[in-house]
Amino acid sequence: MSRGSSRTIRVEVLTRVEGEGALTVRLKGDAVVDVQFRIVEPPRFFEALLRGRAFGEAPDITSRICGICPVAYQMSAVHAVEDALGVTVDGPLRALRRLLYCGEWIESHALHVTLLHAPDFLGYESGIAMAKDHPGAVTRGLQLKQAGNELLRVLGGREIHPVNVRVGGFYRVPARGELAAIEERLKRALDQALAVVRWVSDFHFPDFERDYEFVALRHPTEYPILGDRLVSSRGLDIAVRDYEAHFAEEHVERSSALHSVLSGRGAYAVGPLARYSLNFDRLAPVAQQAAREAGLGPVCLNPFRSIVVRAVETVQAVDEALRIIAAYEPPDAPAVSVVPCAGTGCGCSEAPRGILYHRYRLAGDGTILEAKIVPPTSQNQKTIEEDLWRFVEPRVHLGEQELTWQCEQAIRNYDPCISCATHFLKLSVERG
Amino acid sequence: MATTTEDAGPPGPAGGDPMRPAPFRVARRVVETHDVFTLWLEPVGGPGGFSSQPGQFDMLYAFGAGEVPVSLSGPPGPVKQVVHTIRAVGPVTQSLQRLKRGDVVGLRGPFGSAWPVSLAEGSDVVLVAGGIGLAPLRPALYHVLSQRERYGRIVLLYGARTPRDILFAREIETWRGRFDADVEVVVDRAAPGWHGLVGVVTTLVPRAHFDPHNAVAFVCGPELMMTFTVRALAHHGVVPARTWVSLERNMKCAVGFCGHCQLGPTFICRDGPVYRWDRVAPLLGVREL
Amino acid sequence: MGARRRLKLAVWKFASCDGCQLSLLDCEDELLALAGALEIAHFPEASRAVAKGPYDLSLVEGSITTPHDAERIHQVRRASKVLVTIGACATSGGIQALRNFADVGEWIPLVYATPDFIHTLKTSTPIANHVPVDFELHGCPVDKRQLLEVILATLNGRRPVLAAHSVCFECKRRGTVCVLVADGTPCLGPVTRTGCGAICPAYRRGCYGCFGPLKNPNTAALGERLRILGQSDADLVRAFRGINAGAEAFRRESESHEPR
Amino acid sequence: MPETAVETGVECAIEVADLDPLLGALRERGFTVMGPLLRDGAVIYDEVRSSADLPAGWTDRQEPGSYRLQRSDSPRLFDFTVGPSSWKRFLHPPALRLWQAHREDGGFQVVDVEPPPPRLAFLAVRACEIHAIAVQDRVLLGGPHVDPAYRARRAGLFVVAVQCTRAGATCFCASMKTGPRAGAGYDLALTEVLEAGRHWFRVEVGSERGAEVLAAVPHRAVRPGESAAAERALAGVAEQMGRTMETAGLPALLRRSPEHPRWSEVANRCLACGNCTMVCPTCFCTTVEDTGDLAGRTAERVRRWDSCFSAEFSYIHGGSVRPSIRARYRQWLTHKLSTWHDQFGESGCVGCGRCITWCPAGIDLTEEVRALQASKRRKEDRRADA
Amino acid sequence: MQTLEPILAQIPLFQGMRPEHLKLIAGCASNARFDAGQFIGRQGEPADKFWIVRQGRVALEIHAPGRGALTIMTVAENEVLGWSWLLAPHQWHFDAYALTATRAIALDGKCLRGKFASDHELGYELMSRFSQLIVQRLEATNLQLLDLYGDHD
């Protein structure tokens, strides 16, 4: 290949990710001249179709944005609506919400780590193909995933689009015995999660680090799942309510999507790497120890190691679930009462892939007048492209197939959830 | 708690759990038409006597797929092999269609009422069949032909959709060749090359040679076909009280527990499938009963 | 019975949340057996490997919302021996079919971020509006046991056997106390097709119809009952205009409560 | 059925505190006791471990399509009428794995997978429910075939009846002659008496087993005046019932009325949801589901409650025999009140009123029957006038 | 031709007819024979006769482009072939084709119609009998259309 010649790395359908995305990397000689991580997902207009709906419908409607992290949507939605209505949900109800969320983390992380991401490191086309040579690891991953699903099923009614979450709490809360019934299962899952950390820590990781600005929720005592403060690795420390004052969605000429940026500072990263690096001190001892044994420091800047961080977060989620179950005392009522009133509220929670922001403006009767949803993948999109700019150049000597695969892997580091990326269209729809 | 089929007793209603199928092996399989086939079944692991009366049915189970009622189409009485002629129309019959010699099905039965062949002794016997309805009538025909001297004239009138839908075509030729039975076959439509009759089976009734005032008629086919056939028979002089039909409804248990096959006051699995026409005619006259 | 030929399975995505295809990956206990019984020939969410068609069984998720997808579904149909649609999006247009009720005039002036925006249709329509469909599996998301039955049936060359009665059957079998009768909670269970296992009433909330209408449901009678229970016309419009807004029976019922 | 024994008719009394010893005596004899509990806003039947589980101080208010629990000011334990559960849940379960089949040696073997059912004792069985059990007995045990699953559950059943001391707005057992007083079909029958500050039970002994169990529980002879007090508690219940049904000539009327316009009228309101059949204590229809695993190694058959209200119930290749809701409602009502007589020699309705209360549309079969009868009467009147 | 009168009396179509009417009909009757494969009438041709088949079998066919000839019904012993002679425009609707060697009694439609003009009662009688026949054929046709034995899924 002569110097100065052009070539293009093109991935028409990104695989082993959720939703439909495509990638184009243009090279001129050894230099990258263009990177486009495109979302080819058809628009579904969620923010528009929420207008005119009752506030109580927000969790059920927004969960349909994503089949992989429906709980994240339900949680951000109920928090935003509760914020608008001036309602606080805490005590056992909040614990149950965290428990449900743990189920989603376990399920989603186990799926990504074993079935979607690990095959990249071990050279397989899929987790299923990998199962022929690594049956134990795949079975373990599936069982771990199933433990997460079990939690979702018991608490939420079903794994995908659970039905039990409502503004104010739940429709029905479990009896102690119902949760106790899954304790054994989770204890086994903890061992399995620790084994997964050991397994992935032995993978070969490309030598690639970047000085990201990480953004995650921060809670006084908890590893962040639900929370009301956002922090960054460069000193941002704001209330979730102020999200839109600091974060903006920029129109990027060469992309069909809006890129989320920190105003005046540019790209930032959300997700396991950010959460971990900003909240290492909030991890449970068992998770911290697992991280150390896996060779992770308190901050991780290599996105390829996100698989290890995900495995550590799985340990965290299982351990946390066990602690919540052990301490659980059923509340008197499954939900706190809510009275519709006019107002605007924001909610943010840590989806498996990073922070998910919702804002709703409600009319006096509780009708949604306006909705804004910023999913994690659109926040990471700019960072993913920047990763690729830096990642590809030193590797231009690689063969076409090899380089393509590595680019895909670099995207899969973010476990992108493309169906979620609802927000790349600027909508100006007024509905009565 | 596992008990094997050996403990379960014979498949029939005589003993054990009436809902538990006994394994039968496909001993022979014949393709009758593009969508109809016949299975000869033998009990797995033992002689296992099997006896039925003409017109009765079995529940046949295709492993994992489900169970369907199927009339016996072979000789009545004690047999070594149970014969069923099946039309592949639904998921289960399609699964049964794919069976090969040596494969195993589940069988419960025989169930239900029979063509009253003893009552017909001394009379002319008119069998009118439509489509797959010939299969449940065949045991009755076998019976009357084997006891030929006890009956008057024997007439088989058979209507099929097209020449290629004619069941048991070779056997029909054999019956037709007998001097002591009248056989007429008619098809709804035919392409050139078919030299047989075209029309509906009801039109065969006035042409047939039997004494309507001393005849017993057994009619089996789609419900509409039976209704019009009985009408034609009555017009010709065969009274409804001497006419029997075989009915079909959804059936899950075959023993009167599941409730599906009710037709007014009767359970088709238990009181039928063979009914005297005048007993069911008022029921069949009610829409969506 | 003899060894079966491994059938080629393809999974296709149109406008959707991916949840229905995730149901396949949620068959944790059966997944490896499934991969043994079938050749997973096209399933981007699970595998980089893509085998060429024709495919014995195509599972199609999502609705048609773009001109490009309206073309692409024909290619999928041509490449598929048996085409099964999975989920509310594919069978009724999904939640995004709410756009079908919007005033077109309000939806046309959408301003896209870039000139090369993705073209979108005015409607979100089920797959069967575009190509012949061999079987429709309902639900948002589909029930994984039902999904396995569809695959198993295809493996065995038969039609899937799925109950089609109301959610109420399932509620009563579970021993759930009727939320409509005992709490006065609006519930679409009496007119909604079973399959989910009657989850919502078991969690003390009304069914919101994610498996879509029964065949020939008496939605008018339920609408009348809900009105007596205190639901306004606007509530009723929303109740029937949800996950399966595009399903004919629900669409008609929702429209009958719209202000004139 | 419990044997009628010499003790039949003997009356004793137990104090309210002796209910737990009664439960204990039943458990000691290997019974799992099922009885009324509060759950999700209704009185349902499930396992009762102690008298504290019973819905003391609760009563219910029932109307067509509506059921509401209410606090009562009374410490009564059985101050409610029948709820959404019926005992058929335990005798004729909503879902039952009939068997499993495993492939082997080119064939398959059919094996039982359900553990043997527990020995059941039912606590607080009402008169209408005793009759409902007897109705199902005739269906599932009385014909040429016997349902072994039902037989196994029914065989050792111990019945503790509770005599109704109040009736609900949807009750009409008096019309069906199945209540309110349970006269037989029980091992023990309790009458809850709360009078003059005393809370106790009269116990009628219906069988030898009943006598044997009662002997193990602190009990005493009925004191002078107590029998009268118990009878006072039962007085007036029949008159309290909110519904009635004229049964004379009803089977014949229904046989003659398949084309009555009322069927179309009720079809406009009927949701065909099947709730009435599911809550009915005598409806026995089931379907079977056959499933197999992916590898084709294991298959099983599950039997589930079914209902004539589903279109697929009557499906034969080509379509449903009863595609219209009109035909399905007619089938249900006619079967229950007319053809049941032809099939089993009695009515299929015991007048418990569940189908009225638990119909989400509030359809009342007594009202439907009256409408069918009324137009018949109108015809007769016209004839009389002519 | 007088010899045909007793034969006609045996034919179901004419059973119970008054002798003077039978005599008039016999006046229009003649014997006919057809070889196997011979067309007795062709679609669109003038239909001025009808036949009573005495022996053999006749097919009524219709020709559909692309589907070839389809047999609609067959006519056998003692059955009536043809009623187009009775009604304007007196044209064959189908092809009538002798499946086997066939003997028949031919009845001249013009001759009969002529007799009706002077004997309305005969016209009424024969018209009633043909109406009966047509109704039977119609019912049979309806049943054929219902495709009773077909797959109705």
Side-chain angles (χ1 to χ4, degrees):
Chain A
M1 188 178 322
S2 64
R3 275 195 165 276
S5 71
S6 293
R7 62 174 175 143
T8 305
I9 308 288
R10 208 186 286 277
V11 182
E12 290 300 345
V13 179
L14 275 170
T15 58
R16 281 190 273 125
V17 297
E18 193 265 354
E20 300 215 322
L23 171 70
T24 311
V25 179
R26 288 204 180 78
L27 301 165
K28 197 165 172 71
D30 287 347
V32 175
V33 294
D34 189 22
V35 172
Q36 281 188 41
F37 167 40
R38 295 193 316 280
I39 284 160
V40 295
E41 191 73 24
R44 290 192 290 147
F45 305 110
F46 272 91
E47 288 149 312
L49 61 82
L50 279 162
R51 295 178 185 202
R53 304 299 299 203
F55 72 87
E57 296 180 296
D60 289 328
I61 291 177
T62 58
S63 89
R64 264 66 188 188
I65 293 173
C66 177
I68 294 197
C69 48
V71 171
Y73 282 89
Q74 295 183 339
M75 288 298 154
S76 290
V78 293
H79 279 95
V81 172
E82 285 159 9
D83 185 39
L85 300 177
V87 171
T88 311
V89 173
D90 49 20
L93 289 176
R94 183 171 183 279
L96 284 176
R97 285 181 167 177
R98 281 173 63 76
L99 183 60
L100 179 68
Y101 223 138
C102 285
E104 182 157 292
W105 274 30
I106 298 166
E107 193 281 329
S108 175
H109 278 358
L111 170 71
H112 190 256
V113 168
T114 301
L115 284 182
L116 308 184
H117 208 193
D120 282 334
F121 292 91
L122 299 176
Y124 294 93
E125 303 275 17
S126 70
I128 290 158
M130 193 171 77
K132 291 193 179 65
D133 301 327
H134 303 271
V138 172
T139 306
R140 178 184 58 209
L142 286 170
Q143 285 174 354
L144 193 52
K145 176 176 174 318
Q146 201 170 33
N149 271 338
E150 188 76 21
L151 259 179
L152 289 164
R153 193 161 47 244
V154 170
L155 262 181
R158 65 182 167 200
E159 301 90 330
I160 300 166
H161 305 322
V163 303
N164 196 17
V165 173
R166 70 187 294 185
V167 174
F170 291 89
Y171 288 94
R172 174 184 170 277
V173 289
R176 268 205 58 83
E178 288 174 78
L179 293 186
I182 47 177
E183 241 179 320
E184 280 313 305
R185 180 74 200 254
L186 286 169
K187 283 179 183 156
R188 217 168 47 240
L190 187 59
D191 292 334
Q192 289 167 333
L194 288 165
V196 172
V197 177
R198 289 192 291 275
W199 179 56
V200 298
S201 67
D202 283 342
F203 289 173
H204 170 75
F205 301 102
D207 187 13
F208 181 80
E209 288 198 347
R210 283 187 55 215
D211 185 20
Y212 299 103
E213 175 158 17
F214 287 135
V215 175
L217 286 176
R218 177 86 173 156
H219 185 272
T221 55
E222 301 163 354
Y223 193 73
I225 296 179
L226 311 172
D228 51 15
R229 287 207 78 77
L230 279 165
V231 297
S232 91
S233 51
R234 295 189 193 146
L236 184 82
D237 186 354
I238 59 166
V240 164
R241 282 193 152 272
D242 298 328
Y243 176 91
E244 287 173 68
H246 293 84
F247 295 83
E249 290 177 292
E250 268 183 1
H251 169 212
V252 179
E253 202 55 53
R254 58 186 158 67
S255 168
S256 61
L258 289 175
H259 282 186
S260 195
V261 291
L262 258 164
S263 305
R265 291 151 72 161
Y268 62 98
V270 301
L273 233 53
R275 269 193 306 257
Y276 173 87
S277 300
L278 290 166
N279 292 283
F280 181 80
D281 56 342
R282 300 284 190 264
L283 281 171
V286 62
Q288 277 191 0
Q289 196 191 331
R292 282 195 207 95
E293 283 170 13
L296 290 178
V299 172
C300 178
L301 298 173
N302 181 344
F304 290 87
R305 283 189 191 273
S306 64
I307 190 171
V308 187
V309 175
R310 263 183 211 99
V312 168
E313 283 198 335
T314 313
V315 171
Q316 170 70 22
V318 176
D319 178 70
E320 169 133 17
L322 281 166
R323 278 183 284 124
I324 292 170
I325 290 172
Y328 176 65
E329 284 300 333
D332 295 335
V336 300
S337 70
V338 286
V339 181
C341 65
T344 299
C346 308
C348 186
S349 70
E350 285 282 358
R353 289 146 192 83
I355 54 167
L356 166 61
Y357 173 80
H358 286 218
R359 172 172 56 79
Y360 298 99
R361 187 159 64 82
L362 305 181
D365 66 350
T367 303
I368 297 170
L369 299 174
E370 195 186 330
K372 181 183 173 94
I373 297 167
V374 188
T377 295
S378 34
Q379 302 185 66
N380 275 336
Q381 208 175 335
K382 192 170 167 69
T383 300
I384 292 171
E385 288 189 355
E386 288 181 3
D387 273 9
L388 287 164
W389 280 91
R390 307 245 163 81
F391 182 73
V392 170
E393 259 179 26
R395 291 170 177 79
V396 287
H397 58 279
L398 289 175
E400 188 90 7
Q401 284 191 341
E402 178 65 17
L403 186 55
T404 304
W405 193 330
Q406 289 205 12
C407 285
E408 287 180 49
Q409 186 178 356
I411 294 174
R412 279 193 284 268
N413 286 337
Y414 290 84
D415 186 12
C417 195
I418 301 173
S419 296
C420 290
T422 52
H423 211 235
F424 60 101
L425 291 169
K426 188 179 168 196
L427 298 177
S428 65
V429 179
E430 296 297 326
R431 294 192 67 189
Chain B
M1 269 309 104
T3 52
T4 65
T5 46
E6 277 74 32
D7 309 330
D17 180 350
M19 287 301 283
R20 174 185 287 238
F24 274 64
R25 195 175 301 284
V26 177
R28 193 174 153 217
R29 176 182 183 277
V30 165
V31 174
E32 305 284 356
T33 71
H34 64 285
D35 63 351
V36 179
F37 56 100
T38 299
L39 300 178
W40 279 258
L41 305 172
E42 282 173 351
V44 171
F50 189 98
S51 185
S52 67
Q53 296 167 44
Q56 288 193 298
F57 68 96
D58 284 330
M59 296 298 285
L60 289 189
Y61 168 68
F63 190 87
E67 202 177 46
V68 281
V70 184
S71 291
L72 287 121
S73 64
V79 287
K80 288 209 174 89
Q81 293 186 340
V82 192
V83 186
H84 292 99
T85 300
I86 306 161
R87 182 157 169 228
V89 281
V92 179
T93 46
Q94 282 161 7
S95 295
L96 291 169
Q97 190 179 28
R98 272 188 306 276
L99 296 175
K100 297 183 299 293
R101 216 181 123 208
D103 287 342
V104 175
V105 297
L107 184 150
R108 300 191 288 128
F111 297 114
S113 61
W115 299 112
V117 284
S118 319
L119 191 143
E121 286 179 11
S123 305
D124 290 0
V125 180
V126 186
L127 309 174
V128 190
I132 187 77
L134 182 56
L137 275 172
R138 192 167 70 163
L141 184 60
Y142 283 150
H143 177 88
V144 295
L145 290 177
S146 72
Q147 311 274 313
R148 187 65 194 83
E149 67 289 353
R150 296 175 186 235
Y151 297 93
R153 289 188 185 125
I154 294 174
V155 176
L156 170 66
L157 308 176
Y158 177 39
R161 192 185 194 200
T162 70
R164 70 180 197 128
D165 292 299
I166 293 172
L167 277 188
F168 313 136
R170 209 174 284 172
E171 209 174 356
I172 285 174
E173 284 317 306
T174 315
W175 295 328
R176 209 200 286 273
R178 289 177 71 126
F179 293 108
D180 56 359
D182 265 350
V183 177
E184 286 291 356
V185 179
V186 65
V187 296
D188 269 359
R189 69 186 76 125
W194 167 251
H195 285 272
L197 297 172
V198 178
V200 289
V201 70
T202 51
T203 61
L204 297 181
V205 171
R207 295 175 190 169
H209 302 291
F210 62 91
D211 174 6
H213 304 293
N214 182 33
V216 163
F218 300 158
V219 185
C220 187
E223 213 163 283
L224 269 181
M225 167 265 172
M226 293 194 287
T227 307
F228 281 93
T229 302
V230 175
R231 196 183 290 173
L233 284 165
H235 190 76
H236 201 60
V238 186
V239 293
R242 302 266 284 164
T243 304
W244 275 262
V245 294
S246 179
L247 300 182
E248 189 190 4
R249 284 292 184 274
N250 190 332
M251 229 176 250
K252 297 290 180 193
C253 73
V255 289
F257 297 158
C258 78
H260 283 250
C261 68
Q262 288 178 75
L263 173 69
T266 81
F267 288 95
I268 288 189
C269 67
R270 219 170 61 183
D271 311 321
V274 176
Y275 289 92
R276 213 173 83 182
W277 173 256
D278 55 347
R279 303 240 162 97
V280 288
L283 303 174
L284 296 178
V286 179
R287 276 192 195 185
E288 297 187 38
L289 190 67
Chain C
M1 262 160 258
R4 304 178 183 119
R5 183 176 72 86
R6 278 174 89 217
L7 299 188
K8 282 166 88 171
L9 171 76
V11 181
W12 308 92
K13 177 185 155 70
F14 290 82
S16 68
C17 77
D18 272 43
C20 292
Q21 41 176 321
L22 182 65
S23 298
L24 206 54
L25 296 178
D26 272 354
C27 300
E28 290 98 356
D29 290 331
E30 299 87 1
L31 188 61
L32 296 180
L34 203 62
L38 291 156
E39 180 193 344
I40 297 179
H42 181 275
F43 188 6
E45 183 167 317
S47 177
R48 282 187 92 227
V50 173
K52 279 202 157 57
Y55 308 100
D56 295 290
L57 171 62
S58 276
L59 300 176
V60 178
E61 176 195 85
S63 64
I64 302 299
T65 59
T66 66
H68 173 246
D69 278 354
E71 286 299 314
R72 188 164 62 100
I73 187 59
H74 287 278
Q75 293 165 18
V76 170
R77 176 67 266 188
R78 278 195 292 277
S80 312
K81 287 184 190 153
V82 175
L83 189 154
V84 175
T85 50
I86 57 171
C89 299
T91 55
S92 78
I95 186 80
Q96 58 271 17
L98 289 178
R99 77 173 67 178
N100 304 1
F101 301 89
D103 185 334
V104 177
E106 289 179 349
W107 286 81
I108 286 175
L110 294 177
V111 180
Y112 293 92
T114 64
D116 58 338
F117 61 80
I118 296 164
H119 290 269
T120 182
L121 297 169
K122 287 176 198 164
T123 55
S124 169
T125 43
I127 301 300
N129 284 20
H130 300 264
V131 294
V133 168
D134 297 300
F135 191 79
E136 293 192 315
L137 184 61
H138 299 268
C140 180
V142 294
D143 178 80
K144 68 180 187 184
R145 288 155 300 184
Q146 292 200 333
L147 184 58
L148 282 172
E149 163 61 14
V150 167
I151 293 172
L152 197 62
T154 312
L155 274 175
N156 290 301
R158 57 174 175 85
R159 275 183 76 76
V161 182
L162 298 178
H165 46 67
S166 73
V167 171
C168 300
F169 280 46
E170 214 53 53
C171 250
K172 288 291 183 287
R173 289 177 188 151
R174 274 181 85 141
T176 302
V177 175
C178 178
V179 296
L180 206 152
V181 170
D183 304 339
T185 301
C187 178
L188 296 189
V191 295
T192 299
R193 154 197 310 271
T194 189
C196 61
I199 305 166
C200 287
Y203 282 75
R204 305 315 297 157
R205 67 175 292 192
C207 164
Y208 60 101
C210 53
F211 274 62
L214 285 173
K215 203 174 162 194
N216 303 323
N218 193 349
T219 51
L222 183 64
E224 177 57 19
R225 188 70 190 167
L226 297 183
R227 215 180 45 71
I228 291 167
L229 287 174
Q231 296 287 293
S232 68
D233 274 331
D235 294 333
L236 290 172
V237 170
R238 279 197 296 264
F240 286 101
R241 193 171 291 172
I243 306 294
N244 280 286
E248 173 65 11
F250 284 178
R251 182 185 63 73
R252 262 189 293 111
E253 190 59 27
S254 75
E255 283 170 352
S256 76
H257 297 280
E258 270 188 329
R260 306 210 169 230
Chain D
M1 297 290 288
E3 293 295 318
T4 306
V6 283
E7 288 87 348
T8 306
V10 168
E11 287 184 15
C12 296
I14 64 173
E15 297 307 316
V16 80
D18 296 328
L19 266 188
D20 280 311
L22 174 61
L23 296 178
L26 289 168
R27 263 197 304 275
E28 272 166 30
R29 282 158 183 74
F31 289 108
T32 302
V33 183
M34 298 293 177
L37 302 172
L38 281 186
R39 186 179 299 162
D40 293 332
V43 175
I44 57 104
Y45 299 148
D46 205 340
E47 188 173 350
V48 170
R49 293 191 169 77
S50 96
S51 64
D53 294 342
L54 300 171
W58 285 95
T59 187
D60 51 32
R61 211 182 64 224
Q62 304 194 27
E63 289 297 336
S66 169
Y67 178 101
R68 291 291 182 278
L69 275 183
Q70 280 184 335
R71 275 274 174 208
S72 68
D73 296 329
S74 146
R76 286 175 189 278
L77 296 171
F78 304 109
D79 201 17
F80 47 86
T81 61
V82 294
S85 320
S86 77
W87 304 104
K88 88 175 173 185
R89 168 165 298 276
F90 309 110
L91 298 175
H92 186 46
L96 185 70
R97 282 202 296 177
L98 294 178
W99 43 259
Q100 224 173 42
H102 302 282
R103 275 205 184 285
E104 50 190 51
D105 309 328
F108 58 80
Q109 206 173 40
V110 180
V111 296
D112 287 333
V113 280
E114 290 277 336
R119 288 184 73 199
L120 293 172
F122 291 166
L123 172 65
V125 184
R126 308 304 180 129
C128 61
E129 298 182 312
I130 289 175
H131 281 87
I133 292 170
V135 168
Q136 284 216 328
D137 285 351
R138 267 182 279 284
V139 175
L140 298 170
L141 302 176
H145 300 282
V146 164
D147 175 16
Y150 184 82
R151 183 178 53 196
R153 284 159 177 75
R154 181 70 179 90
L157 179 67
F158 192 97
V159 174
V160 182
V162 161
Q163 303 288 10
C164 288
T165 50
R166 60 173 282 258
T170 57
C171 288
F172 59 105
C173 68
S175 300
M176 304 314 289
K177 304 186 177 52
T178 60
R181 181 74 181 263
Y186 54 79
D187 297 289
L188 295 173
L190 308 179
T191 306
E192 186 171 29
V193 187
L194 184 67
E195 206 181 82
R198 288 195 53 232
H199 191 186
W200 58 281
F201 293 96
R202 174 177 66 179
V203 188
E204 293 163 278
V205 177
S207 73
E208 259 173 54
R209 287 197 315 168
E212 191 271 321
V213 168
L214 185 61
V217 178
H219 67 280
R220 56 178 171 77
V222 175
R223 291 179 195 132
E226 282 188 337
S227 247
E231 290 305 320
R232 274 197 299 281
L234 302 179
V237 173
E239 293 70 34
Q240 257 180 41
M241 291 185 190
R243 294 286 182 283
T244 57
M245 188 191 282
E246 173 57 70
T247 58
L250 185 54
L253 170 72
L254 288 168
R255 202 177 309 129
R256 286 195 309 270
S257 311
E259 306 299 348
H260 197 285
R262 183 72 182 186
W263 302 121
S264 300
E265 197 280 328
V266 68
N268 288 334
R269 289 173 283 135
C270 174
L271 299 163
C273 61
N275 275 305
C276 47
T277 58
M278 298 281 161
V279 294
C280 175
T282 67
C283 272
F284 56 84
C285 289
T286 52
T287 186
V288 291
E289 284 168 18
D290 284 294
T291 55
D293 67 350
L294 276 168
R297 306 288 319 162
T298 304
E300 64 177 33
R301 175 171 301 169
V302 178
R303 184 170 77 184
R304 292 182 205 282
W305 285 354
D306 202 356
S307 166
C308 51
F309 277 94
S310 87
E312 55 190 338
F313 185 82
S314 61
Y315 186 89
I316 46 175
H317 51 86
S320 175
V321 171
R322 298 181 204 108
S324 71
I325 294 179
R326 171 185 177 276
R328 284 179 245 157
Y329 188 86
R330 181 184 67 192
Q331 166 65 23
W332 176 68
L333 192 104
T334 307
H335 183 216
K336 191 97 331 200
L337 299 174
S338 172
T339 53
W340 206 297
H341 287 273
D342 299 309
Q343 295 166 352
F344 305 105
E346 61 188 341
S347 173
C349 176
V350 295
C352 71
R354 285 183 177 89
C355 59
I356 305 173
T357 300
W358 297 96
C359 171
I363 294 171
D364 174 353
L365 90 164
T366 65
E367 188 188 320
E368 298 313 311
V369 164
R370 239 186 317 279
L372 292 161
Q373 287 168 332
S375 55
K376 177 195 161 235
R377 255 176 233 123
R378 272 201 302 280
K379 256 185 232 161
E380 280 168 0
D381 293 347
R382 271 201 301 276
R383 243 177 260 136
D385 291 345
Chain E
M1 282 295 138
Q2 266 98 329
T3 48
L4 282 176
E5 206 180 309
I7 297 172
L8 289 180
Q10 297 302 309
I11 305 284
L13 178 71
F14 302 123
Q15 253 163 33
M17 262 187 143
R18 279 158 49 188
E20 60 269 33
H21 283 157
L22 269 181
K23 197 170 180 181
L24 287 172
I25 292 169
C28 300
S30 60
N31 276 310
R33 297 182 75 92
F34 303 99
D35 294 331
Q38 189 182 343
F39 280 98
I40 300 167
R42 301 299 295 254
Q43 193 178 338
E45 281 179 0
D48 45 19
K49 278 186 186 148
F50 74 97
W51 290 267
I52 312 289
V53 175
R54 300 288 294 139
Q55 200 175 52
R57 188 170 294 176
V58 179
L60 284 180
E61 291 184 349
I62 191 159
H63 191 272
R67 292 173 68 187
L70 297 171
T71 303
I72 291 171
M73 63 174 291
T74 48
V75 182
E77 275 100 274
N78 286 337
E79 292 178 342
V80 177
L81 171 65
W83 41 266
S84 300
W85 67 275
L86 200 55
L87 304 161
H90 309 297
Q91 273 180 0
W92 279 94
H93 289 77
F94 304 108
D95 292 340
Y97 166 92
L99 284 168
T100 61
T102 300
R103 280 196 306 114
I105 297 171
L107 290 127
D108 187 318
K110 268 190 200 152
C111 163
L112 282 171
R113 288 200 300 267
K115 298 204 167 154
F116 296 167
S118 53
D119 189 339
H120 288 198
E121 209 178 314
L122 172 64
Y124 173 77
E125 187 65 33
L126 216 52
M127 196 61 133
S128 313
R129 284 159 190 260
F130 264 87
S131 302
Q132 190 83 45
L133 197 71
I134 292 167
V135 165
Q136 279 165 15
R137 293 261 167 98
L138 188 63
E139 187 177 271
T141 306
N142 284 343
L143 287 176
Q144 276 172 291
L145 285 176
L146 284 171
D147 193 15
L148 289 175
Y149 321 119
D151 211 346
H152 305 292
D153 269 347

